[in-house]
């Protein structure tokens, strides 16, 4: 699994005309799943994301009770090394990825995190105001 983590002053996800998830200051987390990921991988990534010291004064979302907006992003496993058309073969199919994405969200919530999400398998409009900007790729 991969998570692209960004510090934001606010972020939201809209599907159609409906805002399905929104946070104030916290972390926007884009999550990609690959073929050999497991629920244990999801739990480990959730711990790392919740505890990463990316927020002001080297503090974590866990330290500050900062909210997280988590959005599924299969394109994190895109590969554009050959030519101009990326391949998505390293991304897990939706039937595999969705339960692991949900396991990641559940693991964050089990840690006490406030989590908002996008909507899996939909066209989403993600808006964010990055702070810093600070962006980190965490891979398990």
């Amino acid at each position: 699994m991969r998570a692209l983590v960004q510090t934001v002053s606010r972020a939201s996800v809209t599907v159609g005309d409906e805002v399905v998830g929104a946070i104030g200051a916290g972390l926007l987390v884009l999550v990609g799943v690959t073929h050999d990921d497991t629920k244990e991988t999801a739990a480990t990534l959730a711990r790392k994301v919740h505890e990463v010291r990316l927020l002001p004064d080297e503090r974590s979302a866990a330290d500050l009770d900062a909210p997280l907006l988590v959005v599924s992003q299969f394109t994190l496993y895109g590969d554009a090394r050959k030519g101009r058309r990326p391949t998505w073969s390293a991304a897990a199919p939706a039937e595999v990825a969705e339960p692991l994405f949900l396991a990641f969200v559940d693991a964050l919530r089990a840690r006490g995190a406030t989590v908002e999400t996008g909507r899996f398998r939909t066209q989403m409009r993600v808006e964010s105001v990055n702070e810093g900007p600070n962006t980190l790729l965490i891979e398990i």
Side-chain angles (χ1 to χ4, degrees):
M1 288 183 95
R2 290 179 179 163
L4 186 69
V5 182
Q6 298 179 311
T7 56
V8 296
S9 59
R10 68 179 183 273
S12 65
V13 177
T14 304
V15 175
D17 292 329
E18 177 188 3
V19 175
V20 298
I23 62 169
L27 298 176
L28 171 61
V29 184
L30 307 177
V31 176
V33 179
T34 192
H35 301 282
D36 58 355
D37 288 330
T38 64
K39 286 186 178 183
E40 291 76 23
T41 307
T44 299
L45 184 61
R47 179 186 54 77
K48 290 185 78 73
V49 166
H50 198 222
E51 294 179 357
V52 68
R53 295 173 178 267
L54 195 58
L55 292 167
D57 300 321
E58 295 187 10
R59 294 173 56 193
S60 69
D63 294 334
L64 299 173
D65 290 325
L68 300 96
L69 176 60
V70 181
V71 179
S72 173
Q73 185 79 26
F74 78 92
T75 59
L76 286 177
Y77 277 100
D79 184 351
R81 289 178 288 182
K82 295 181 181 178
R84 296 175 296 157
R85 182 174 296 146
T87 178
W88 315 111
S89 61
E95 299 76 29
V96 172
E98 186 172 15
L100 293 173
F101 173 80
L102 294 173
F104 174 79
V105 170
D106 289 345
L108 283 170
R109 288 182 175 145
R111 296 178 55 79
T114 300
V115 181
E116 295 279 327
T117 66
R119 195 172 287 160
F120 203 89
R121 285 182 128 171
T122 63
Q123 181 68 33
M124 295 177 275
R125 188 171 56 250
V126 179
E127 296 183 58
S128 65
V129 177
N130 293 1
E131 281 295 320
N134 296 314
T135 302
L136 180 67
L137 179 66
I138 301 174
E139 189 165 19
I140 302 295

